[in-house]
Amino acid sequence: MTTTRDDVSAEIASLVLAAQKGDQASWATLVDRFGRLVYGVCRGYQLVPSDAADVSQTVWLRLAENLHRLEHPERVGAWLVTTTRRECVALLRARSRFEPLDVEYEATPSTAPGPAEVTLRRETIAEVAAAFATIGERCQDLLRRLVCNPEQTYQELTATLGIPIGSIGPTRMRCLSKLRNALTAVNS
């Protein structure tokens, strides 16, 4: 049995809602599920392990304080990433006021994509794939060919798809519009 993005979102939302009602097992599951993500964002700011642990604890405290305010409980992962980034920046700013920065210790975010960026990219890809699956085979085929084979000419597309050459552009626009609408539906 395959797990869809909707299944995962529903599972996360139910964990958050249960944690809002005081269910300690749900809270523990949330911490287990997102703990590495929070800590990874901290390490992306090159915090030493003790500072990363402090920021992680602060982020979990912030979630506990604001759990009842989450409008989209299924997006708790994105909320945690944003809050972690803010706490890292706040720590670095506070430190820069009180401690002289050593050139070797200066904490700057890594340019490599961290766990947060990887997770958000995966979520985006999953959303686009879910929307893409709803737009119909003809649109899927056309868009797939245009994206995967950009060197393919309209004459080749006409021969392959049986679409008149003057209809490829307007058809592409209609298909992209369907995809945009499907993405809007997936995200709402």
Side-chain angles (χ1 to χ4, degrees):
M1 181 175 157
T2 59
T3 303
T4 65
R5 178 166 165 39
D6 291 337
D7 294 338
V8 172
S9 293
E11 178 187 353
I12 292 170
S14 68
L15 286 171
V16 170
L17 295 174
Q20 286 175 344
K21 295 175 184 172
D23 182 16
Q24 292 300 312
S26 296
W27 177 261
T29 303
L30 284 171
V31 173
D32 287 342
R33 187 172 202 149
F34 293 105
R36 283 191 214 139
L37 175 66
V38 169
Y39 192 77
V41 172
C42 294
R43 295 297 288 158
Y45 280 84
Q46 298 179 352
L47 299 181
V48 295
S50 60
D51 286 343
D54 288 345
V55 168
S56 294
Q57 288 179 0
T58 301
V59 168
W60 290 110
L61 175 63
R62 298 277 182 261
L63 179 61
E65 292 170 342
N66 294 291
L67 198 58
H68 64 283
R69 295 183 186 152
L70 295 180
E71 291 181 27
H72 301 285
E74 70 279 0
R75 296 183 185 165
V76 70
W79 188 95
L80 287 166
V81 168
T82 301
T83 303
T84 303
R85 286 180 176 161
R86 289 177 181 161
E87 291 298 328
C88 288
V89 169
L91 175 73
L92 293 173
R93 282 187 183 148
R95 288 272 164 87
S96 69
R97 282 184 246 150
F98 301 109
E99 295 179 11
L101 286 178
D102 187 10
V103 173
E104 293 178 31
Y105 178 71
E106 186 173 342
T108 56
S110 172
T111 57
E117 287 81 12
V118 170
T119 300
L120 292 175
R121 181 169 171 78
R122 285 183 184 156
E123 288 178 359
T124 301
I125 289 170
E127 288 174 1
V128 171
F132 188 76
T134 66
I135 64 171
E137 289 183 36
R138 184 176 170 124
C139 282
Q140 288 177 12
D141 195 24
L142 175 64
L143 293 177
R144 191 177 294 117
R145 289 175 187 278
L146 288 169
V147 170
C148 295
N149 301 322
E151 67 281 346
Q152 192 173 24
T153 67
Y154 274 20
Q155 288 81 10
E156 293 169 334
L157 281 171
T158 296
T160 306
L161 298 174
I163 299 173
I165 197 165
S167 297
I168 292 175
T171 303
R172 180 189 67 210
M173 293 306 294
R174 282 191 298 277
C175 292
L176 288 173
S177 179
K178 287 179 184 180
L179 181 60
R180 186 178 309 109
N181 292 338
L183 276 170
T184 302
V186 166
N187 286 324
S188 57

